[in-house]
Amino acid sequence: MRDSLAFSRRSFVQYSACGLIAPRLFTSPALAAEALAAEALASGENEVHGLSVFGDLALPADFGHFAYVNPAAPKGGEISLQVSSTSGNQNFTTFNTLNAYILKGDGAAGMGLIFDSLMTGNADEPDSLYGLVARAVRVSADRSVYRFLVHKEARFHDGSPLTAADVAFSLNILKAKGHPSIRQALRDLDAAEAEADDVVMVRLKSQRSREAPLIVAGQPIFSAAYYKTHDFDQTTLEPPLGSGAYKVGRFDQGHFISFDRVSDYWGKGLPVNVGQSNFDRIRFEYFGDRKVAFEAFKAGVFSFREEFTSAVWATGYDFAAVKDGRVQRATLPDESPMGTQGWFLNMRRDKFKDPRIREAIGLAFDFEWTNRNIMYGVYSRTVSFFQNSPMAAQGVPSPEELAVLEPYRSELSPDVFGEVYTPPVSDGSGQDRALLRRANDLFVSAGCKRQGSALILPDGKPFEIEFLDFDGALEPHTAPFIKNLKLLGIEARYRVVDAAQYKRRTDDFDYDIVTSRFGLGLTPGEGMRATFGSEAADMAGSRNVSGVKNKVVDALIEKALVVETREELTFICRSIDRILRAMHPWVPMWNKPNHLVAYWDLFSRPERSGRYEIGVLNSWWYDEEKAKRINFAGR
């Protein structure tokens, strides 16, 4: 359970960009829309029902519903779950604001449920969007102008129309005042204007990224009228006005928040919504401790749990409700890249400047011992920033990768052009002496020296490291790592702080080492700039937790954002992977290619999940007969 950049299929991206532009005003919106349509067709615009990074939509314009949903799924009941992923300003253990789209505060989970976007994703495709608020989009011949045609039936929850002016307002306010990661992602938005009540024109910069139209189309849409009397960039516990399938229900700050299904939701009959949003209520529970959370699940305080602790999965599910079938367990496949998880070293700090020091630290972690003794052997070692995807580098550079890298040879470590760095396999003893000797040699070559039992940095200071976390779940995994670091003379410690302090310190990059998890998907794009870009390294609250600043990485990311084929993208990403792995900005952890879930037997689900999302909140449903059979009491 770590922070993740994995995109929600409901909003696809939670990013943003560009200056405020006043919408045009028309005395006759209907006549204006007709005139614009005629003008658009005459100018060579192409009208499409969806957008894809490489233009390869899988579904026709007349599709009835996504293939992984049950179109006849009943509505009703409640699902309750623990917070297991975050984005923006959200936090795993508490919340103090319902504004999840700015840097300030700790945003509540699930706020994306209340906002519609222009388009939404298909969980069977890695990078395609289909019409939600937008019934279609007209794309100019040079793909610099996108005119989204807004459903005239679109409504906010108070019954007011959702118009192109609201879309333009939302894009502009997000670019101007949104969370830094949103502002950065919308950097290629040049203008957003309402040309009619049902036509919003989006103009992109000439050198825009390939992903820019999808980022724009995936943004939440806010009510411009609502924010005339509310400050967008302030924290608040007043539920904002939305337009989606859910609205904010009861909540208790820092403890739980629920969302109630909108029975007269304007878009419930759209193909992208059929068979989805089936629960009458979705409730997120907050816990400051995982052990307490597990006990709460066992007691029926909440009904669905994704398990992230292998020891608990292997030994903890022996309670009565599992034995008698009232709690079910399942292993759900997911074809998405499993993401990258590791201990990330803050290279902004002098003690981590030298890559030899960073590599040496990594050699002190014995994955083989940890996996066997703590994680029951269920994990595989993560080695790549593009783990379990075609973008992961292997062996020596291919001719295609060399063609990408050669122009920058003088600026890169020679290691980039050899075998890609892979953490060595230990002897599994927990204290591999050969690896520790190698680590010591690296420290010495970097100018460190021993004084008694202490390792002294080149600047004469004792080498001290603090592992910062917001709960103690990883302490058993970190303790043997720390033990080996101490053998090398490093005074290492594991420190747990409350969630609010953790967020403040990570937003300000005030740490030595933190754990992070992110996924870049099958079509890496803007996420790379947010995670590895030099600009993000200095941006408060960014995902560039290690502070990667490398001109070649920046240049290759820019190339990756504009290539025309997936093949080109693959070779560029493999090249980026080689450079990053040679830098040693992290100590990679582990991964598994599935989701381990447990749930009280209250639910039914479609025959299969989407290929790239298990879709519990989207496509599962409450089963009254099952609920009666187990007599589930709940809270």
Side-chain angles (χ1 to χ4, degrees):
M1 183 174 68
R2 291 285 152 184
D3 56 348
S4 173
L5 282 180
F7 294 155
S8 159
R9 292 289 155 183
R10 178 54 42 196
S11 62
F12 187 75
V13 203
Q14 290 187 336
Y15 287 152
S16 292
C18 190
L20 292 169
I21 299 168
R24 296 181 188 175
L25 300 177
F26 293 90
T27 55
S28 175
L31 291 176
E34 291 176 10
L36 285 167
E39 179 185 340
L41 295 175
S43 67
E45 284 186 336
N46 179 38
E47 185 169 313
V48 293
H49 67 288
L51 296 173
S52 173
V53 167
F54 291 111
D56 46 355
L57 292 172
L59 300 178
D62 61 350
F63 77 95
H65 57 80
F66 292 136
Y68 50 85
V69 304
N70 173 8
K75 310 292 185 184
E78 176 184 285
I79 185 171
S80 52
L81 63 162
Q82 186 182 2
V83 180
S84 62
S85 65
T86 62
S87 64
N89 67 355
Q90 292 171 338
N91 162 334
F92 287 107
T93 61
T94 190
F95 71 93
N96 53 32
T97 178
L98 301 185
N99 187 347
Y101 297 96
I102 60 173
L103 180 60
K104 294 178 185 177
D106 298 304
M111 290 307 296
L113 292 167
I114 77 169
F115 297 111
D116 274 336
S117 52
L118 285 167
M119 310 185 91
T120 190
N122 172 15
D124 277 345
E125 297 178 75
D127 49 31
S128 296
L129 297 181
Y130 294 89
L132 178 53
V133 168
R135 59 180 176 82
V137 55
R138 295 189 181 124
V139 185
S140 66
D142 64 357
R143 292 184 296 176
S144 65
V145 176
Y146 291 72
R147 286 186 168 87
F148 293 92
L149 311 183
V150 176
H151 277 288
K152 295 181 179 179
E153 300 81 12
R155 292 289 184 275
F156 288 104
H157 294 151
D158 65 356
S160 61
L162 187 163
T163 69
D166 297 299
V167 178
F169 164 80
S170 302
L171 293 171
N172 288 320
I173 199 72
L174 282 167
K175 181 170 181 179
K177 298 183 177 182
H179 190 279
S181 62
I182 296 177
R183 298 200 307 266
Q184 185 185 41
L186 282 178
R187 64 194 295 164
D188 290 334
L189 173 64
D190 192 44
E193 301 179 40
E195 294 185 330
D197 281 350
D198 61 346
V199 181
V200 60
M201 184 280 295
V202 169
R203 184 171 64 248
L204 303 175
K205 293 179 180 178
S206 58
Q207 298 300 313
R208 56 91 170 173
S209 77
R210 176 191 62 249
E211 197 180 2
L214 283 76
I215 290 172
V216 166
Q219 296 307 312
I221 299 172
F222 309 121
S223 164
Y226 177 85
Y227 284 103
K228 284 182 178 178
T229 57
H230 297 78
D231 292 329
F232 176 80
D233 57 353
Q234 297 300 313
T235 60
T236 180
L237 288 173
E238 177 183 322
L241 178 60
S243 63
Y246 289 88
K247 61 183 178 181
V248 175
R250 292 179 58 243
F251 64 89
D252 181 3
Q253 181 185 335
H255 295 97
F256 75 87
I257 183 168
S258 61
F259 296 86
D260 298 332
R261 187 170 61 84
V262 178
S263 60
D264 60 349
Y265 169 46
W266 75 270
K268 61 185 176 183
L270 296 176
V272 294
N273 287 328
V274 170
Q276 301 193 72
S277 303
N278 301 318
F279 296 108
D280 276 351
R281 182 173 298 107
I282 296 172
R283 176 173 166 131
F284 293 95
E285 300 281 352
Y286 283 84
F287 298 91
D289 182 273
R290 287 193 192 187
K291 292 179 181 178
V292 172
F294 185 49
E295 292 304 315
F297 172 73
K298 289 162 64 175
V301 173
F302 61 101
S303 54
F304 177 91
R305 172 181 172 87
E306 182 166 3
E307 185 56 70
F308 296 92
T309 305
S310 53
V312 175
W313 186 254
T315 65
Y317 287 85
D318 59 353
F319 53 96
V322 174
K323 293 176 180 178
D324 64 24
R326 286 176 295 147
V327 168
Q328 298 290 313
R329 296 204 294 167
T331 300
L332 304 179
D334 184 349
E335 295 182 37
S336 298
M338 286 300 102
T340 294
Q341 181 170 311
W343 288 283
F344 285 79
L345 286 64
N346 187 358
M347 298 189 296
R348 302 169 186 86
R349 300 202 158 171
D350 289 341
K351 58 188 166 188
F352 298 129
K353 293 291 187 186
D354 193 313
R356 292 169 293 185
I357 287 177
R358 301 193 296 267
E359 180 182 356
I361 290 170
L363 294 175
F365 172 57
D366 191 328
F367 167 76
E368 285 68 33
W369 184 92
T370 305
N371 192 36
R372 185 178 69 249
N373 290 279
I374 297 177
M375 303 189 297
Y376 293 81
V378 302
Y379 286 92
S380 299
R381 184 75 190 266
T382 292
V383 300
S384 168
F385 290 93
F386 301 88
Q387 188 68 34
N388 298 333
S389 90
M391 313 295 171
Q394 298 182 30
V396 298
S398 65
E400 293 84 357
E401 291 168 66
L402 285 174
V404 173
L405 293 166
E406 280 293 351
Y408 308 101
R409 183 179 281 272
S410 64
E411 303 172 65
L412 294 170
S413 164
D415 293 345
V416 173
F417 295 88
E419 286 275 343
V420 67
Y421 182 80
T422 301
V425 176
S426 77
D427 63 9
S429 66
Q431 189 176 310
D432 188 317
R433 294 187 178 186
L435 292 182
L436 293 178
R437 279 196 300 270
R438 183 170 153 191
N440 184 69
D441 291 344
L442 284 167
F443 284 132
V444 172
S445 69
C448 300
K449 58 184 178 182
R450 290 293 287 261
Q451 284 185 2
S453 62
L455 185 67
I456 305 301
L457 289 161
D459 62 6
K461 297 177 181 177
F463 202 159
E464 298 179 350
I465 292 176
E466 179 181 86
F467 290 80
L468 185 69
D469 212 334
F470 59 86
D471 68 26
L474 288 174
E475 188 167 11
H477 311 72
T478 313
F481 186 9
I482 286 176
K483 181 180 178 182
N484 283 340
L485 290 171
K486 289 186 174 182
L487 288 174
L488 291 166
I490 298 173
E491 183 56 40
R493 57 189 176 274
Y494 183 79
R495 184 180 181 191
V496 177
V497 298
D498 67 74
Q501 183 181 353
Y502 182 84
K503 183 177 183 298
R504 285 194 302 272
R505 289 186 61 177
T506 52
D507 281 350
D508 295 336
F509 309 122
D510 179 20
Y511 51 82
D512 288 338
I513 299 177
V514 292
T515 303
S516 184
R517 183 179 186 275
F518 58 84
L520 295 167
L522 287 167
T523 312
E526 280 291 340
M528 291 193 292
R529 188 150 57 187
T531 311
F532 309 130
S534 295
E535 182 181 353
D538 297 323
M539 185 182 294
S542 87
R543 300 287 177 161
N544 190 344
V545 291
S546 281
V548 174
K549 275 190 174 183
N550 185 286
K551 291 181 180 179
V552 179
V553 171
D554 291 339
L556 294 185
I557 289 173
E558 295 307 312
K559 288 179 182 290
L561 292 174
V562 298
V563 293
E564 295 294 329
T565 69
R566 192 175 293 277
E567 184 180 44
E568 291 176 279
L569 177 63
T570 298
F571 293 129
I572 291 174
C573 289
R574 289 178 184 172
S575 300
I576 292 172
D577 195 31
R578 290 181 184 279
I579 298 169
L580 292 171
R581 287 160 70 174
M583 292 173 63
H584 305 284
W586 66 331
V587 180
M589 285 181 167
W590 46 80
N591 69 90
K592 56 180 176 54
N594 48 49
H595 297 266
L596 307 177
V597 303
Y599 53 93
W600 287 81
D601 195 19
L602 309 168
F603 313 117
S604 289
R605 52 190 168 108
E607 293 181 5
R608 70 169 180 89
S609 302
R611 291 180 62 190
Y612 305 114
E613 184 181 83
I614 60 174
V616 176
L617 297 185
N618 288 346
S619 59
W620 288 29
W621 62 91
Y622 184 82
D623 190 314
E624 272 193 53
E625 291 302 314
K626 289 183 177 181
K628 290 177 183 176
R629 187 165 63 245
I630 70 169
N631 192 29
F632 180 72
R635 293 179 307 279

